[in-house]
Amino acid sequence: MKGQQLTARINEKLAPLRKEVSRSRGWLKGEGRNE
C-alpha cells in the first residue's frame, strides 16, 4: 500500500508540469507559432 501512496503523491506533484510539457511539445512541433 505504501508504494501506491507514494506513487499517488508523486503524480500529484507532477500534475502541473504535465500541462507545461504538453504545451512545449506542441510548440516544438510548430503548433501555435506565428510564422
Side-chain angles (χ1 to χ4, degrees):
M1 182 80 165
K2 282 192 175 211
Q4 290 174 339
Q5 289 173 339
L6 180 60
T7 301
R9 290 189 76 187
I10 290 171
N11 285 335
E12 261 180 48
K13 298 288 183 182
L14 293 177
L17 296 176
R18 288 185 184 147
K19 271 188 190 174
E20 188 62 33
V21 169
S22 179
R23 266 199 337 236
S24 296
R25 283 182 179 168
W27 185 84
L28 288 170
K29 289 179 182 177
E31 299 169 9
R33 289 189 185 173
N34 294 327
E35 292 184 40

